Amino acid sequence: VAVALYHSDIDAAILVRQFRPAVYASKLIEEEAKGADGDSNLPYSAGFTYELCAGLADKEGCTVQEVAREEILEECGFDVPLYSVEKITSYVSAIGISGSRQSLFFAQVDETMRKGLGGGLAADGEAIQVMALPMDQVDAFIA
């Protein structure tokens, strides 16, 4: 599941930034292909990605909407009422590998819903930074 979050108090999209080892490893391979020796000074920042709040729908007995709500709280720190987590669509992703179904939701948050800082579950190895992207900067961020 993935959730597009809009923070109405600050007119911003809420994204998460996290280190992805596979992204870092891929960039190391690219550096080696360019002729860099195994002593690359590639900064760890090369492995960080900006993403929608998201998670696996692997909790038995939970609907994908309930999983989306839990991910909003775990990753971003907002306790959103379940009825406010609106399904946008679902689609098949990773077609050539697994053909898994992805569900995309939308939720609006504000500071009254904040219950913590987010950051993910340390026990699961998550180290997530929450980022507010002002709506008037979205186009430049995507470009």
Side-chain angles (χ1 to χ4, degrees), residues 54-134:
L56 297 174
D58 60 355
K59 296 176 177 102
E60 202 169 315
C62 287
T63 67
V64 289
Q65 183 186 31
E66 291 168 332
V67 171
R69 180 180 181 269
E70 288 180 13
E71 291 298 331
I72 296 167
L73 182 58
E74 290 172 8
E75 292 191 359
C76 300
F78 296 99
D79 190 6
V80 178
L82 186 61
Y83 65 83
S84 295
V85 180
E86 303 172 39
K87 188 170 186 178
I88 297 172
T89 191
S90 65
Y91 56 92
V92 178
S93 65
I95 295 169
I97 299 170
S98 65
S100 61
R101 179 156 296 281
Q102 177 75 17
S103 295
L104 179 61
F105 292 87
F106 169 80
Q108 183 171 311
V109 299
D110 61 45
E111 285 305 306
T112 66
M113 298 173 184
R114 185 174 295 282
K115 300 299 179 209
L117 298 176
L121 298 176
D124 290 348
E126 295 178 323
I128 295 170
Q129 298 170 336
V130 181
M131 178 186 148
L133 177 63

Side-chain angles (χ1 to χ4, degrees), residues 35 40 45 48 55 57 64 105 125 127:
S40 175
S45 60
F48 279 86
V64 289
F105 292 87

